[in-house]
Amino acid sequence: MRMVDLIRKKRDGLPLTKEEIRFFTEGYVSGVIPDYQAAALLMAIWFRGMDREETAELTFAIRDSGEKIDLSGIDGVRADKHSTGGVGDKTSLIVAPIVASCGVKVAKISGRGLGHTGGTVDKLESIPGYRTDLSEEEFIGVVNRTGIAIVGQSREVAPADKKLYALRDVTSTVDSVPLIVSSIMGKKLAVGDDVIVLDVKTGSGSFMKTEEDSRQLAEILVDIGKKAGKKIMALITDMDRPLGEYVGNALEVREAIETLKGRGPGDLREICEVLSGAILMLSGFAGTMEEGRTLAKQAVKSGAALRKLREMIEAQGGDPLVTEDYGRFGTAPVECEVPAAQDGYIAAMDTEAIGKASLLLGAGRNTMADRIDMTAGIRILKKTGDRVKKGEPVAVFYTSDRSRLDGAQAVYGQALTYSETGPAPRPLVLGTVE
Ligand code: URA
């Protein structure tokens, strides 16, 4: 078999066989297939798509590209949640400790930033000392001791996804249903969780811009999970505006801590309660999602969820005092307000552009080798539906590099659309797929 023939086949819109897909994933992981050929195939998949059978085969090939993590040494129901990617989406940092404090075992493998979206692993690495690279033994040990661990993808688990994820990030091939499905489910299926709740984002800040595409993505994700014997459900949630008030790594961890203290913004609290409710229901800790939501609220109110986060941080080598003293994250030396361009209501936010503005401030990567400025990011003061006066600040930028401000300002300015009347409100949870 030759890689060039596979690229041509997909370029011409023909389906790849199971053997061809495995030839690609195995060759890419071993280094026999170079980045440039893998990038060409990704772009051909982006243009031509994959049918359900190919998507399932790519998922299984990614799952089988490395070791499987056997969670049978962890007693109880093991659950994971995964988002398809958004801007300001720090829900994992809130939902995981909430459900763990209710008794669910959370053994979670998270990703890094992808495209304009942030990643949980990058966010956690803003906590001084926090290790996302635990060995399998350490990972299981932490879950057994504390009920929760969140780590990055090691070289051993789903290495095909690890390499492809990084390559997609820099070749503009992220927003493709088969590539998202195989990436998420390939790594989820390599880990033996019993329950998976997926947060499928929809709107301008998501990889899927329309509700129809997001529902299709959710259905394929759930279908593959069910076929693999998982208890799985997907929620379709709004990403037409950033979630919460902050975008950027350390800033988002701080906001997650504030939310666990009961002081987070309403939209973030609502989505986290719903996601927690779904996990608690599927894990058998609640009869309905609503009952699960009530348990989630109690876990925040009692302080149990925050204590669980602190335990996890400590168990993974991080500084647990960050939950009390935000100065320990460090602060960006440069701060700058962004003024409203005119009087009126904010009618819409191009949330992808807001994610890009945050990257431009240093909060993400432009190439595989880039280092992240952990303190960089944005505080969003005004969102869709808010009324503003010309010149009033709509956001605050944080960065370590003053020269980054102009580019980010230009992108942010273009991201906002104004109108004379307020837009119709949009629900945060737009649907579920079970
Ligand atoms: N999350 C993933 O793990 N992979 C994707 O492709 C998108 C979101």
Side-chain angles (χ1 to χ4, degrees):
M1 234 179 258
R2 293 187 326 151
M3 186 61 192
V4 66
D5 299 325
L6 267 65
I7 297 169
R8 184 181 313 109
K9 205 171 160 189
K10 187 41 75 184
R11 183 201 69 187
D12 295 344
L14 299 169
L16 300 176
T17 65
K18 173 178 174 180
E19 290 68 31
E20 286 167 336
I21 289 171
R22 294 222 169 211
F23 170 82
F24 163 58
T25 53
E26 284 163 20
Y28 188 47
V29 169
S30 68
V32 173
I33 294 169
D35 280 340
Y36 55 84
Q37 283 190 311
L41 183 65
L42 290 178
M43 192 53 87
I45 293 173
W46 191 94
F47 275 108
R48 292 298 196 166
M50 281 181 139
D51 63 29
R52 286 231 181 179
E53 209 176 316
E54 287 176 286
T55 306
E57 287 308 340
L58 182 58
T59 304
F60 301 142
I62 288 176
R63 173 196 65 192
D64 297 339
S65 65
E67 289 173 10
K68 313 275 188 321
I69 297 199
D70 174 10
L71 299 181
S72 59
I74 298 170
D75 276 342
V77 184
R78 297 145 302 201
D80 193 357
K81 95 146 245 303
H82 201 92
S83 155
T84 56
V87 178
D89 179 8
K90 65 283 289 174
T91 52
S92 290
L93 302 171
I94 302 160
V95 171
I98 288 178
V99 298
S101 72
C102 295
V104 176
K105 298 291 162 56
V106 181
K108 178 159 176 50
I109 298 202
S110 285
R112 295 195 178 275
L114 189 63
H116 64 280
T117 70
T120 303
V121 169
D122 294 329
K123 291 172 202 180
L124 283 168
E125 287 180 355
S126 72
I127 301 172
Y130 190 96
R131 284 182 54 214
T132 55
D133 62 347
L134 302 187
S135 66
E136 182 176 340
E137 212 183 321
E138 288 173 313
F139 178 53
I140 291 175
V142 173
V143 182
N144 269 329
R145 275 202 317 285
T146 67
I148 177 171
I150 306 182
V151 296
Q153 211 173 336
S154 67
R155 264 193 299 279
E156 290 83 35
V157 177
D161 176 57
K162 196 173 162 82
K163 278 190 90 173
L164 288 172
Y165 195 89
L167 188 62
R168 286 167 60 213
D169 195 22
V170 291
T171 54
S172 224
T173 50
V174 173
D175 48 345
S176 141
V177 168
L179 296 179
I180 295 176
V181 169
S182 55
S183 163
I184 294 180
M185 293 312 290
K187 56 184 172 272
K188 296 293 127 186
L189 299 184
V191 182
D193 281 296
D194 312 297
V195 166
I196 301 172
V197 169
L198 299 163
D199 183 4
V200 177
K201 301 290 187 193
T202 191
S204 63
S206 138
F207 295 122
M208 298 293 114
K209 306 294 183 207
T210 66
E211 243 182 279
E212 197 187 329
D213 286 350
S214 300
R215 180 163 286 277
Q216 191 208 358
L217 173 64
E219 281 169 1
I220 300 176
L221 285 162
V222 168
D223 189 40
I224 290 186
K226 285 225 157 115
K227 284 200 176 106
K230 304 289 175 187
K231 281 190 180 165
I232 183 166
M233 100 183 247
L235 295 165
I236 301 169
T237 70
D238 180 47
M239 192 32 75
D240 236 4
R241 59 210 133 150
L243 189 55
E245 267 176 40
Y246 287 93
V247 183
N249 298 285
L251 295 170
E252 290 192 40
V253 181
R254 282 173 50 167
E255 188 170 39
I257 296 167
E258 281 292 293
T259 305
L260 288 172
K261 290 179 180 171
R263 303 195 289 240
D267 59 345
L268 182 58
R269 283 207 316 265
E270 179 178 339
I271 295 224
C272 289
E273 285 166 11
V274 175
L275 288 167
S276 302
I279 297 176
L280 289 165
M281 180 186 73
L282 286 188
S283 305
F285 284 77
T288 60
M289 273 176 70
E290 213 37 55
E291 222 178 284
R293 212 174 149 174
T294 306
L295 289 179
K297 282 189 203 165
Q298 282 164 0
V300 171
K301 201 160 174 218
S302 68
L306 180 66
R307 283 196 294 281
K308 195 49 82 185
L309 177 75
R310 228 183 268 137
E311 270 179 62
M312 177 187 84
I313 292 175
E314 192 160 17
Q316 294 194 222
D319 177 0
L321 295 178
V322 290
T323 57
E324 301 309 322
D325 174 6
Y326 299 149
R328 289 173 180 257
F329 285 107
T331 36
V334 181
E335 234 182 273
C336 166
E337 286 181 349
V338 183
Q342 62 183 77
D343 286 346
Y345 287 91
I346 297 186
M349 302 174 90
D350 176 348
T351 308
E352 177 167 345
I354 293 175
K356 283 185 183 149
S358 179
L359 295 190
L360 288 171
L361 291 168
R365 298 178 189 81
N366 290 310
T367 71
M368 281 154 90
D370 276 357
R371 281 179 73 86
I372 289 180
D373 174 359
M374 288 296 179
T375 59
I378 304 173
R379 177 170 185 198
I380 296 150
L381 302 174
K382 300 287 178 191
K383 285 206 194 173
T384 307
D386 287 339
R387 201 185 170 122
V388 294
K389 285 215 162 313
K390 185 175 177 186
E392 177 186 6
V394 289
V396 183
F397 284 173
Y398 303 91
T399 180
S400 301
D401 179 354
R402 187 169 293 279
S403 71
R404 290 175 173 271
L405 289 175
D406 285 351
Q409 286 257 17
V411 171
Y412 202 96
Q414 300 256 316
L416 303 187
T417 311
Y418 298 85
S419 65
E420 279 177 14
T421 51
R426 179 171 147 111
L428 284 168
V429 180
L430 295 142
T432 53
V433 175
E434 293 186 49

